[in-house]
Amino acid sequence: MKQFEVNFDGLVGPTHNYAGLSFGNVASLSNANAVSSPKQAAKQGLGKMKALADMGMMQGILAPQERPDIATLRRLGFTGSDATVLENAAKQAREVFLACCSASSMWTANAATVSPGADTADGRVHFTPANLTNKFHRSLEPEVTGRILKATFANDKYFAHHTHLPDNEHFGDEGAANHTRLCTDYGHAGLELFVYGRHAFDASKPAPKKFPARQTLEASQAIARLHGLSDEQVVYIQQNPDVIDQGVFHNDVIAVGNQNVLFYHEQAFYDTQTKLDEIRRKFGDHPLHFIEVKTDDVSVLDAVKTYLFNTQIITLPSGDKTIIAPTECQENDAVSRYLDNLVTMGTPIKSVNYFDVKQSMRNGGGPACLRLRVALTEQELDAVNPNTLINDQQFARLNTWVDKHYRDELTENDLRDPQLVTESRTALDELTQILKLGSVYPFQQD
């Protein structure tokens, strides 16, 4: 039976803006208050999806959240018409208002943690939406994310859906951005690496001092239990607290893996050698490639600036692996030089493809942030909602949809425009029909 790794990319929402909401994310903070282009952002994302599909990859799409989040503003005490709620929230609680307008669900690496059926006790693909408790604007996402995932992976025979972990910092969970799976083939049992930033219940353990550690060990352990993973299939690795304090807010900013390749910066992990030895032991006698990037070759600063590790490593139909990198990597001398050398080093990575995703990069998300990886067998893929898979027809329909509904530019002042609410809801209502998702949004259920 054939096996696939399907990349489900987040479609950028109509309210894509630069509010600088993500403390600890250097790019997000440095571009705060810049003018955004929702239409360009959505088209950049769709362009990457279509390019991967054209390479022979299976490519899916996940719908964005409804924003502005009027329902949350009402929960926080703002009353009256939608227009009044927006106006008063913008005047009285600017930061809260901006958080409720965020289009951050575009970064679907944070949408959920996924374990393939080859790894789980019941043989089904398991999904747990991330609670994202560390950032208010992202903590608003899990419930709707769960509905979108259930509408995308709707067959109970093949897919199991869990409720997100308790909304508490002790179980802070950032999804697949801190999760990597190593395997020989996608359909065979693999080794799931859970990377955490701190111990929630033991303050004596190492932890960052400047920026928050968003993922806890306890959250990672809970997900492994929910997904029915055995101890021999799991490795828990602590992220280096020092690199978190340098702006590495998720593991996928400093390390990325695919099949039998782990590509990481030498400063990525705490107690690195012990954990690499555990990975080797649990992976067994299969070929395994650790590609370590030395600080002398690429500094942590350059890695964060270019998102060298927030690249996608994909396996092409030919069997060769290629890196999907942002053009920022190409524009940085040290990183470009490293990648040029990497493809000559005899590793499974044979080429690099560069993509312009600058609208996402300016908000702190590279190519890997934009996708959720789901390993599926042929039967499981047949059970996926087919309307959420990218082909020439869906790509054309979605581009037309973006042209029809998205604004060319968006400023902070535009976010309080009640017409934007109407535009966004109209767009999302039509999108659920294109993707055949049903009523996943609060405005559709009210």
Side-chain angles (χ1 to χ4, degrees), residues 123 146 167 240 247 271 338:
D167 298 306
N240 180 356
D271 196 14
Y338 179 84

Side-chain angles (χ1 to χ4, degrees), residues 285-310:
D285 295 327
H286 308 290
L288 183 60
H289 301 268
F290 291 140
I291 305 175
E292 182 184 69
V293 180
K294 297 293 187 182
T295 305
D296 287 347
D297 292 324
V298 178
S299 68
V300 172
L301 178 63
D302 277 343
V304 172
K305 219 164 43 172
T306 63
Y307 277 16
L308 167 62
F309 298 96
N310 199 252

Side-chain angles (χ1 to χ4, degrees), residues 119-402:
D119 295 356
T120 62
D122 66 1
R124 294 188 293 170
V125 184
H126 283 244
F127 298 83
T128 299
N131 60 24
L132 300 163
T133 56
N134 189 259
K135 296 288 176 283
F136 171 62
H137 67 289
R138 301 226 59 179
S139 72
L140 306 177
E141 297 174 19
E143 189 174 338
V144 172
T145 295
R147 289 185 207 149
I148 292 170
L149 289 171
K150 287 175 183 175
T152 305
F153 306 94
N155 190 320
D156 290 343
K157 178 180 178 182
Y158 297 105
F159 308 120
H161 294 275
H162 303 279
T163 304
H164 60 278
L165 298 182
D167 298 306
N168 183 278
E169 65 171 11
H170 288 76
F171 291 96
D173 172 32
E174 300 281 317
N178 291 317
H179 175 259
T180 296
R181 179 176 185 259
L182 302 177
C183 62
T184 53
D185 294 296
Y186 295 121
H188 295 167
L191 183 61
E192 302 199 19
L193 314 183
F194 289 86
V195 182
Y196 63 94
R198 66 185 179 92
H199 296 71
F201 292 94
D202 189 347
S204 70
K205 298 290 188 182
K209 296 177 175 61
K210 179 181 178 183
F211 290 140
R214 304 185 186 188
Q215 183 88 24
T216 68
L217 170 64
E218 291 80 357
S220 298
Q221 291 171 328
I223 291 168
R225 286 192 295 269
L226 286 168
H227 291 194
L229 306 178
S230 73
D231 289 344
E232 283 302 302
Q233 291 175 286
V234 173
V235 177
Y236 300 104
I237 308 174
Q238 183 165 8
Q239 197 173 353
N240 180 356
D242 291 338
V243 297
I244 294 177
D245 282 338
Q246 294 178 66
V248 181
F249 52 99
H250 289 138
N251 176 63
D252 68 0
V253 179
I254 203 72
V256 60
N258 177 37
Q259 289 188 319
N260 63 346
V261 172
L262 183 63
F263 179 48
Y264 63 98
H265 195 276
E266 71 170 326
Q267 296 186 46
F269 308 120
Y270 182 78
D271 196 14
T272 304
Q273 195 54 54
T274 300
K275 289 303 175 181
L276 294 182
D277 290 344
E278 183 181 353
I279 291 170
R280 282 194 188 92
R281 178 177 63 80
K282 290 184 174 179
F283 198 73
D285 295 327
H286 308 290
L288 183 60
H289 301 268
F290 291 140
I291 305 175
E292 182 184 69
V293 180
K294 297 293 187 182
T295 305
D296 287 347
D297 292 324
V298 178
S299 68
V300 172
L301 178 63
D302 277 343
V304 172
K305 219 164 43 172
T306 63
Y307 277 16
L308 167 62
F309 298 96
N310 199 252
T311 50
Q312 296 173 239
I313 300 176
I314 61 172
T315 303
L316 298 169
S318 66
D320 287 342
K321 290 178 174 55
T322 188
I323 283 182
I324 305 299
T327 51
E328 282 79 357
C329 287
Q330 198 173 21
E331 294 159 1
N332 180 287
D333 289 343
V335 172
S336 177
R337 186 165 53 249
Y338 179 84
L339 288 173
D340 286 345
N341 187 49
L342 173 63
V343 299
T344 69
M345 288 167 54
T347 76
I349 298 172
K350 303 301 183 187
S351 60
V352 180
N353 291 268
Y354 294 99
F355 287 86
D356 181 0
V357 288
K358 281 186 167 54
Q359 286 289 317
S360 176
M361 287 286 288
R362 288 171 188 155
N363 238 349
C369 283
L370 288 163
R371 63 93 171 93
L372 181 69
R373 294 182 287 182
V374 186
L376 299 169
T377 65
E378 198 167 12
Q379 286 181 325
E380 291 162 348
L381 182 59
D382 287 342
V384 172
N385 177 346
N387 302 283
T388 63
L389 298 175
I390 289 292
N391 53 34
D392 289 346
Q393 182 183 21
Q394 279 299 70
F395 176 70
R397 289 184 75 186
L398 289 166
N399 262 290
T400 301
W401 173 82
V402 169

